[in-house]
Amino acid sequence: MSDQRFVSPVFADRHIGPDDDSLATMLTTLAVPDLEALADAVVPSTIRETGSVEVLDLPPAASEVETLAELRAFAAKNRQMVQMIGLGYHETVTPGVIKRNILENPAWYTAYTPYQPEISQGRLEALLNFQTAVADLTGLDIANASMLDEATAVAEGMTLALRSSRSKSRRFVVDADTLPQTLAVLKTRAQPIDIELVIVDLAGGVDSLPVGDFFGILLSYPGASGAIADHTDIIAAAHERDAKVVVATDLLALTLLRAPGDIGADIAVGSSQRFGVSLGFGGPHAGFMAVRLDLQRQLPGRLVGVSHDADGNSAYRLTLQTREQHIRREKATSNICTAQVLLAVMASMYAVYHGPDGLTAIAQQINGKAASLATALAAGGVTMANEHFFDTVRAQVPGKSADVVAAARDAGINLWADGPDFVQVAISETTTDAHLAAVLSAFGVSEPIVAALDVIPAELARTTDFLTHPVFHNHRSETAMLRYIRKLSDLDLALDRTMIPLGSCTMKLNATTEMEAVTWPEFAGLHPFAPADDAAGMLELIAQLEHWLCEITGYAAVSLQPNAGSQGEYAGLLAIRAYHASRGEEHRNICLIPASAHGTNAASAVMAGMTVVVVGTDEAGNIDLADLHAKIDANARTLAAIMVTYPSTHGVYEETISDIAESVHAAGGQVYVDGANLNALVGLARPGVFGGDVSHLNLHKTFCIPHGGGGPGVGPVGVRAHLAPFLPNHPMQPAAGPVTGVGAVSAAPWGSASILPISWAYIRMMGADGLRRATLTAVAAANYIAVQLRDYFPILYTGHGGFVAHECILDLRPMTAQTGVSVDDVAKRLVDYGFHAPTMSFPVAGTLMVEPTESEDLVEIDRFIAAMIAIKGEVDKVAAGHWPVTDNPLRGAPHTAAALAGEWDHPYTRAEAIFPQGVVPAHKYFPPVRRIDGAYGDRNLVCSCPPIQAYAQ
Ligand SMILES: *Cc1c(COP(=O)(O)O)cnc(C)c1O
């Protein structure tokens, strides 16, 4: 018998897990004849466009081979240059062992955010290494993992200063020698929350501080001009005036410079890009933030800490989750959810690979070359703007900057012209003497390159140690490095081993072909501020992707700048705010948000200067219409927007969405449709048509960018035509957004541009039919699971005809009330069965939300169903008194290999613990630690490498 699938060049047949027979089985279970009948049964007719408009206008699906050829053609249109522009983005060498075994390794890039720490010890250790490296190098007490980029990290530093400063002022002082993209993001972020930026040239020292109060100050070290100044006195003066001090800095420079913590900084921020992560036309890269001890509980973003497990061994986990937006909502420290984990892991591994001596040697080489270049230029009669610098040479060339830059471009080198009179040259790890010679001749200088005097003043030279932990010393050979990376990935469960049925997170296939172009030098080597024609192919790809996303969503325009869904929410709400203001209605500031919404919605609304009013949900899980109308009436004059997730976070297509949109519009408000659940809509219905004015999409959910263990992501924001003038733009690349736009929301013009080929390739290979089939298969799979499990665990919410959308909530609360077995027990027990748990306690505490996606085949789905049924059998034994609630395979889960070796005094056998279904699988996954005590870790914060790495104990 020949299976059509294996001779088929149709990518959709590979992306979609169930084959025709499996699908038939699933549909029979649901009592629907085919996928179209399922669409009719499940999706409310009110939101569907019928007839020919229901077919998306996308190019016909291309094969994997054709798609790679098209990507190659885009790549060929980009111009590969030597990038010496600097401004926060530097060429770097990604060690091959890190590129192949992390960036190109699905064991790392397909992992999820480590909310289930027992199956995440590997990436948690790598992130703890990142935090340790950042804390060491900045000389501060505690660092997070990670921020979205440098500019937004500075903005988070500003709001952290505002929260923690004793000053009542709302003024934030910014040194003029700040990166232009950072200034742009600060302006965007300050305005809606009434922070006044005071931009002053602080080169004159303490006397240049403005009169009057201010709550914080931003210094750059080194500055945007490359200058390194001694900020000690200004910092002391700022502290005397009750201001917190934020220092934007460069980790590599800090191997040579006094640490920000040592000169008095409270908060240090920056980018870890030059630790082995390619330029990638602006991203993704991991930003960082480190703070003094007294600010640790206010630190935004995710923080890895050390706790202990049920056997008393130390173990890693995400700590202080209670301050995050899914708990604190509008009172959260920030809206950051998806961060830049994969890139933080790469940067940490770069530090592990080179160690303190290796990093210092790289920094010395860079600094030495910069000094030599400056010396030769000066000898050739060019005026140097700065005496002290790390890697960036700033030359004064009155009226000639364009000529110098053009001459360098002829030699294949990009320099930076700062106005007509200045040129900046940034030296990096990849700079050679030949590059220096070419730069000199671009300046018309023929002096030889010779060793030069020190350009770092003695009082700013680093004297303290860093990276003293053994992890930064023990992996110097490539063999040791390779095994360290492999060891850590073996500790974790990612999509390369099991389905990850996380509701709301859409953990679908990240196909290898989609990933290919990410590391091609023609994309990876683009500097975000290079002339646009260097990136002609990339920009063509971006324009196509924007067009396709508009077609899929029904919106008129889209911006790819936001680096995650949360940032897209923020950008979308800013567009709403600017739209109201453009009509003289700036008083509209109320944002209605259903109680079931994701926590980022509320946190983003606050950042956009809005006040959150919560709308209740009714017993069926839908938005409570009576409450909605009451709240619209109560806020009619000031209503700015409603944020609704569609299908809802309760996993159903609400029938009333168009009515809700109409009511809000009638009251003068705008409708924000959170597009995180677009995997249930693509090819079926379009938010821009059924009532939305604006949505963000999560390309790392629906459009196949891998989760990377908690990032990177891309959160494009799509808008209807009336909001298009208010999309983000960027000071360095006019083509990145409308002139009338709301400013920059990310450091880079197109955000995390280098991962856009992933989503482009997905859409290109699926075509309109494939995308629609994927959506319906995802819906079929979720409904199949719901039907198979509903006799064991009640399905909390269903919609039209008793169906769910693309995910279903299993209600464990009755079971817990009856037996004492908790949702945690079930989630951890799934690890013993070899599974990653579904989403736990979101959006309803005590429940599990299951989203299989279209990519899981029926064998895997059935394996999951069988595990859940077997677990229910175990729960029944607890209920029947066979095992006590305090000691049973569920409460004891997960079980490590070590737990079996010692004394065994449990009322269940070792075999019941680890081979729960009586089957001995060929590939048994053992977690390295047992259940982790979260509360202990929150009380006793340890957020850098412990003396001995946890799992090794
Ligand atoms: C994932 C998600 C978000 C946040 O997106 P990030 O990319 O993680 O910032 C917002 N809303 C919903 C419903 C989500 O599932």
Side-chain angles (χ1 to χ4, degrees), residues 443-682:
F443 277 93
V445 169
S446 54
E447 299 292 322
I449 287 285
V450 288
L453 294 178
D454 231 338
V455 288
I456 294 177
E459 68 272 18
L460 284 181
R462 184 161 191 128
T463 53
T464 50
D465 283 347
F466 53 92
L467 307 187
T468 53
H469 191 276
V471 75
F472 300 108
H473 298 263
N474 292 347
H475 309 289
R476 209 44 45 78
S477 77
E478 181 161 328
T479 302
M481 189 71 197
L482 176 68
R483 289 184 186 151
Y484 181 57
I485 293 171
R486 173 64 191 256
K487 179 171 73 175
L488 293 190
S489 61
D490 275 358
L491 299 179
D492 291 8
L493 279 185
L495 274 176
D496 60 338
R497 290 212 251 195
T498 170
M499 78 188 291
I500 302 184
L502 285 165
S504 220
C505 304
T506 314
M507 299 294 288
K508 59 164 69 173
L509 171 74
N510 316 117
T512 307
T513 295
E514 291 156 5
M515 296 296 294
E516 295 263 315
V518 171
T519 47
W520 293 352
E522 297 92 333
F523 293 116
L526 291 170
H527 191 290
F529 306 149
D533 45 314
D534 284 4
M538 177 61 112
L539 291 176
E540 210 176 302
L541 180 151
I542 284 173
Q544 274 186 15
L545 179 60
E546 287 176 353
H547 176 70
W548 295 346
L549 293 176
C550 285
E551 177 64 20
I552 288 168
T553 55
Y555 286 116
V558 67
S559 167
L560 293 168
Q561 195 181 101
N563 281 329
S566 64
Q567 307 303 296
E569 292 172 14
Y570 178 64
L573 291 168
L574 285 184
I576 290 175
R577 190 172 182 274
Y579 168 76
H580 287 314
S582 76
R583 294 153 46 93
E585 303 209 301
E586 42 280 274
H587 55 273
R588 290 191 174 271
N589 71 338
I590 297 295
C591 188
L592 302 178
I593 299 183
S596 56
H598 197 272
T600 49
N601 289 185
S604 299
V606 170
M607 286 169 60
M610 295 183 183
T611 301
V612 174
V613 172
V614 178
V615 181
T617 41
D618 65 18
E619 265 175 24
N622 299 313
I623 291 175
D624 181 337
L625 292 182
D627 192 38
L628 174 73
H629 288 297
K631 292 203 165 132
I632 290 176
D633 292 346
N635 299 286
R637 206 187 71 86
T638 50
L639 182 63
I642 186 169
M643 293 183 89
V644 281
T645 307
Y646 202 85
S648 76
T649 56
H650 288 159
V652 292
Y653 296 98
E654 284 180 61
E655 305 267 339
T656 51
I657 181 68
S658 298
D659 300 340
I660 290 171
E662 243 178 71
S663 313
V664 170
H665 283 144
Q670 293 283 292
V671 177
Y672 187 109
V673 177
D674 180 327
N677 287 346
L678 205 75
N679 210 43
L681 290 179
V682 177

Side-chain angles (χ1 to χ4, degrees), residues 200-348:
V200 285
D201 182 352
L202 293 175
V206 175
D207 294 341
S208 41
L209 281 172
V211 290
D213 286 346
F214 48 92
F215 69 83
I217 174 170
L218 171 68
L219 298 163
S220 292
Y221 178 66
S225 68
I228 42 178
D230 187 348
H231 295 309
T232 321
D233 293 344
I234 292 189
I235 292 175
H239 281 155
E240 267 169 36
R241 294 164 73 171
D242 278 346
K244 293 285 180 198
V245 178
V246 185
V247 170
T249 188
D250 175 328
L251 294 178
L252 199 56
L254 291 182
T255 63
L256 307 183
L257 295 178
R258 271 182 80 188
D262 293 344
I263 59 171
D266 302 293
I267 302 162
V269 286
S271 166
S272 62
Q273 177 267 319
R274 71 189 315 173
F275 273 28
V277 181
S278 296
L279 295 165
F281 205 37
H285 313 130
F288 64 82
M289 177 182 283
V291 298
R292 289 193 184 286
L293 211 55
D294 55 313
L295 298 179
Q296 67 183 8
R297 285 176 195 267
Q298 311 242 25
L299 192 59
R302 293 178 182 145
L303 184 60
V304 178
V306 182
S307 187
H308 58 226
D309 75 356
D311 289 338
N313 294 319
S314 37
Y316 310 118
R317 62 182 280 274
L318 290 179
T319 195
L320 295 187
Q321 284 298 297
T322 42
R323 72 209 158 104
E324 278 317 308
Q325 72 300 123
H326 52 273
I327 311 276
R328 300 204 60 203
R329 306 181 78 85
E330 66 269 22
K331 296 192 185 66
T333 51
S334 90
N335 70 340
I336 300 174
C337 179
T338 292
Q340 300 282 19
V341 167
L342 190 69
L343 303 314
V345 168
M346 286 180 69
S348 82

Side-chain angles (χ1 to χ4, degrees), residues 704-763:
C704 296
I705 291 175
H707 270 66
V714 178
V717 57
V719 291
R720 283 178 55 209
H722 66 285
L723 294 180
F726 310 111
L727 284 174
N729 56 19
H730 199 280
M732 318 292 270
Q733 292 279 14
V739 277
T740 49
V742 293
V745 297
S746 300
W750 287 275
S752 294
S754 68
I755 52 177
L756 296 175
I758 302 170
S759 298
W760 182 93
Y762 174 61
I763 298 172

Side-chain angles (χ1 to χ4, degrees), residues 168-220:
K168 292 279 164 286
S169 164
R170 293 194 78 86
R171 295 204 307 163
F172 187 64
V173 175
V174 180
D175 181 17
D177 198 9
T178 297
L179 292 170
Q181 68 273 24
T182 297
L183 268 179
V185 170
L186 278 179
K187 282 180 186 159
T188 309
R189 294 277 282 259
Q191 206 256 342
I193 49 175
D194 289 326
I195 290 176
E196 183 196 342
L197 295 183
V198 185
I199 299 167
V200 285
D201 182 352
L202 293 175
V206 175
D207 294 341
S208 41
L209 281 172
V211 290
D213 286 346
F214 48 92
F215 69 83
I217 174 170
L218 171 68
L219 298 163
S220 292

